[in-house]
Amino acid sequence: METLLHAFIPQPCLFHSHADAILALSNRPDGEEQIRKALGDDVIILPYVHPGFALSKAAAEAFVEHSTARGMVLLRHGLITWGPSAKAAYNTHIEFVNLAEGYLERTRPATPTGAAPSVEQAQAAYRAWAPTLRGKLATPSGRDDIAWKRAILRPIIDDATLALLNSPVARELLVTPPLTSDHLIRTKMLPLWVDTPDQLDAALDNYIAAYGDYCDANWGRTAADTPRFDPLPRVILCPSIGAVCVGPDAPAADIARDITAQTLAVKATIGEPAEYEGLSAEQCFDMEYFPLQLAKLRKQSESPLRRHVAVITGAAGAIGAGICRYLLEQGCHVAATDLPGDGLDSLTAELAGRFGARALGVPLDVTSPEGIAEAYGQIIDAWGGIDLVIINAGLAHVSTLKEMDLARFQLLEKVNVEGTLNLLTASAKLFEQQNTGGDVVLISTKNVFAPGAGFGAYSATKAASHQLARIAVVEMAGMDVRVNMVAPDAVFSDGARKSGLWQEVGPDRMKARGLTEDGLEEYYRNRNLLKARVTADHVAHGVYYFATRQSPTTGATIPVDGGLPDATPR
């Protein structure tokens, strides 16, 4: 629209915004009168017009009639100001917004509030509820392999939001159309109101039915081949929890969250339900199913893992870091977990710097069930749930059985075996709550199939871990959870990030063979049939194969070893 306005309004610079104070005044039955009282005669006030050429033409005609004006309020759209320079247009904009804010302060009563839970109480309640909510908001994909299109959740839980949601007028005030038609594609016409979490099913059923009625009543104005959006909400309001915003990935959900935060703030300023007037149902429908908007959406492609959340243990090592990076490159949301320290901190900074809101670092000790519960809780706080669990954390030790230190063996057992059990236990419970299936990929080892002398503690405990995963294959299949294994040979590094396991056992292996570090890597490369150097990326590709369900497979092991006949699964 701004490009078209430039064609009609002969000013070098325009500035446009959805300023809170302007929307608080314009989204009222007497919005034009309120704007005039607040801003005076220096602005043009244009009634709501559907976005597009008609709005640009109407704005241009209004400007011709009032060419001395310094700005224009498009009711239920926002404020435009202009001037001979960007600075002049911006200063005028700030002037008008300040006038609107001052008028609101003088004239609007405070919104009544009610007794609200503390932020801590609401956050705990959200953490317990979010996986259930996320499961309910998944839609059938129409595919046999990945049956559900999942959602990413981003909550708003703060004192102001909880106070507003517990106001006696909250439901009547907030379950109303959006402030501007630009928000519809992110929020739909109405949010879903849920009195308490245990009433979700009934509230959701009513919302779906109402959305169907809304579409049926307006469908005659659409083209015959127009696809209907899913009937699920994009914003959920619950007094005991806060606001929950929904999107296909974290960036999209964050946009919905920003819009919702602004919407709640503006409606709180208005205060009385009778004083708020948003778009009509017809106006909302015309924008939600605007052909130009639909054409833009049809062009958007979606990566297979865009709606997935993965957690990776032992992420600060070479294999873990490589898997994290590769899955993020494929659109996944990735929680990198490891023991707290520089390794995890540096990896988190690297991934978050490149992938933003889709990357998260979470300290985790896999030997602690309580620690796993807290780590999973932090991931739920961030995105609503987990779909893919990659069990990679592990320890190694070099010793013959004759010289084995029992305490050291027990430490490996605790990490490699009990850690796997703890993760499988927690994951099974979460997958059951979400009820949308899931995947587990265990990073096993060629030593399960071809153990080596002096490597008994590692080989035995990894074999036990592998066997636990095989049992999970049988136990979790009924939940549409697939459990598979990737069994690599030695991976020494991922770029500058060294393998913790090989830092532990490498010196002994080098000493035994009289080799340097480079020589040891060359030795392992030359012992496989393909003479291939096994990398973290190769392991990540195996994980990706299972995570994207490219075949109907569970209980399988992919060797990533360049071809070691003795280690072939059998």
Side-chain angles (χ1 to χ4, degrees), residues 362-507:
V362 182
L364 171 62
D365 179 353
V366 299
T367 68
S368 167
E370 296 78 15
I372 292 174
E374 173 57 26
Y376 275 29
Q378 291 181 36
I379 300 165
I380 289 166
D381 292 344
W383 299 312
I386 297 170
D387 311 300
L388 171 61
V389 178
I390 301 158
I391 302 174
N392 174 62
L395 293 180
H397 177 58
V398 177
S399 172
T400 63
L401 298 180
K402 181 179 69 172
E403 298 170 338
M404 182 69 67
D405 178 76
L406 182 59
R408 185 66 181 176
F409 183 95
Q410 290 171 333
L411 176 60
L412 264 68
E413 187 277 333
K414 193 167 184 64
V415 173
N416 297 350
V417 183
E418 293 182 31
T420 298
L421 175 61
N422 292 336
L423 289 160
L424 290 171
T425 299
S427 301
K429 293 175 181 177
L430 180 58
F431 289 147
E432 183 177 47
Q433 184 181 1
Q434 291 178 153
N435 197 31
T436 56
D439 286 273
V440 178
V441 180
L442 173 74
I443 306 304
S444 186
T445 170
K446 75 93 187 174
N447 288 277
V448 169
F449 307 97
F455 227 32
Y458 180 74
S459 299
T461 55
K462 288 295 284 186
S465 171
H466 193 103
Q467 190 73 349
L468 285 171
R470 292 183 64 200
I471 295 167
V473 169
V474 180
E475 294 185 352
M476 296 188 189
M479 298 189 293
D480 188 29
V481 175
R482 301 184 185 184
V483 183
N484 290 287
M485 288 69 76
V486 176
D489 197 11
V491 174
F492 290 87
S493 63
D494 177 54
R497 194 172 294 274
K498 298 293 186 180
S499 163
L501 184 149
W502 281 96
Q503 285 179 320
E504 171 74 19
V505 305

Side-chain angles (χ1 to χ4, degrees), residues 173-316:
L173 175 65
L174 301 179
V175 185
T176 47
L179 304 174
T180 174
S181 58
D182 291 353
H183 294 173
L184 270 161
I185 200 67
R186 304 289 183 174
T187 66
K188 287 200 169 175
M189 185 177 79
L190 298 173
L192 169 66
W193 182 275
V194 182
D195 284 314
T196 58
D198 61 359
Q199 296 182 26
L200 174 61
D201 286 348
L204 202 52
D205 287 344
N206 291 335
Y207 186 95
I208 291 170
Y211 186 79
D213 292 343
Y214 154 79
C215 288
D216 291 343
N218 293 282
W219 207 252
R221 298 202 301 280
T222 61
D225 61 345
T226 300
R228 187 173 292 200
F229 291 129
D230 72 77
L232 296 170
R234 302 295 185 264
V235 179
I236 298 91
L237 305 177
C238 182
S240 63
I241 286 173
V244 183
C245 306
V246 184
D249 57 24
D254 281 346
I255 294 173
R257 183 169 61 177
D258 291 344
I259 290 171
T260 300
Q262 182 192 27
T263 300
L264 295 177
V266 170
K267 291 182 179 180
T269 302
I270 293 172
E272 291 296 331
E275 295 183 7
Y276 179 78
E277 183 176 89
L279 302 170
S280 68
E282 292 79 8
Q283 290 168 337
C284 286
F285 183 87
D286 288 344
M287 187 60 188
E288 187 175 357
Y289 287 90
F290 189 26
L292 293 180
Q293 188 76 280
L294 295 175
K296 182 171 64 176
L297 291 174
R298 288 192 191 105
K299 293 180 181 178
Q300 295 178 354
S301 60
E302 185 166 308
S303 63
L305 296 181
R306 182 187 185 194
R307 298 167 178 267
H308 283 57
V309 175
V311 56
I312 302 171
T313 66

Side-chain angles (χ1 to χ4, degrees), residues 21-32:
I22 299 297
L23 292 174
L25 293 172
S26 71
N27 283 270
R28 296 168 48 84
D30 58 348
E32 184 171 351

Side-chain angles (χ1 to χ4, degrees), residues 318-319 489-495 497-500 502-503 506 509-510 517-525 533-536:
I319 289 177
D489 197 11
V491 174
F492 290 87
S493 63
D494 177 54
R497 194 172 294 274
K498 298 293 186 180
S499 163
W502 281 96
Q503 285 179 320
R509 286 293 193 254
M510 288 186 285
E517 183 174 343
D518 290 341
L520 187 65
E521 289 195 47
E522 187 70 7
Y523 167 82
Y524 275 92
R525 183 179 70 81
R533 176 175 172 264
V534 179
T535 69

